[in-house]
């Protein structure tokens, strides 16, 4: 029987095991970077998911996202999944 767990399930399980490890590193210019731990990423994603759900979208709704390749793209993708929606990348 194939494993039917979702990518989000794997992310959540990994985050639970590696809470304080750096997950994403975002260059911000001038030789500076911002590091995000698993806990910080999941916190931001949960906040975004709550906001999306507050907008009254139907379960399974498609959410379009236009973004550069950056840490917040990953956070937004996770948020959309957490909220029960589907990402449409533009």
């Amino acid at each position: 029987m194939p494993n039917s767990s979702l990518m989000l399930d794997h992310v959540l399980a990994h985050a639970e095991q590696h809470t304080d490890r750096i997950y994403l590193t975002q260059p911000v210019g001038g030789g500076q970077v911002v590091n995000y731990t698993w806990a910080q990423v999941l916190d931001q994603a949960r906040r975004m998911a709550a906001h999306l759900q507050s907008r009254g979208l139907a379960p399974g709704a498609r959410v379009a996202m236009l973004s550069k390749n950056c840490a917040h793209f990953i956070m937004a993708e996770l948020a959309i999944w957490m909220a029960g929606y589907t990402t449409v990348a533009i």
Side-chain angles (χ1 to χ4, degrees):
M1 178 176 196
N3 183 346
S4 62
S5 61
L6 302 173
M7 175 71 82
L8 182 58
D9 296 328
H10 294 287
V11 169
L12 295 173
H14 195 81
E16 200 171 287
Q17 297 171 0
H18 304 288
T19 305
D20 295 324
R21 282 194 190 169
I22 293 173
Y23 173 30
L24 299 172
T25 298
Q26 178 64 55
V28 292
Q32 302 290 317
V33 297
V34 175
N35 292 315
Y36 296 96
T37 65
W38 282 92
Q40 291 170 321
V41 169
L42 271 286
D43 177 63
Q44 288 293 317
R46 285 185 179 103
R47 291 168 188 262
M48 289 182 209
H51 174 73
L52 287 170
Q53 289 174 327
S54 77
R55 306 301 298 167
L57 300 170
R62 291 184 213 78
V63 177
M65 179 169 42
L66 176 62
S67 175
K68 294 180 180 182
N69 184 7
C70 63
H72 283 89
F73 173 87
I74 301 297
M75 293 178 205
E77 181 85 73
L78 292 171
I80 292 167
W81 295 345
M82 287 176 170
Y85 308 132
T86 301
T87 305
V88 178
I90 298 175

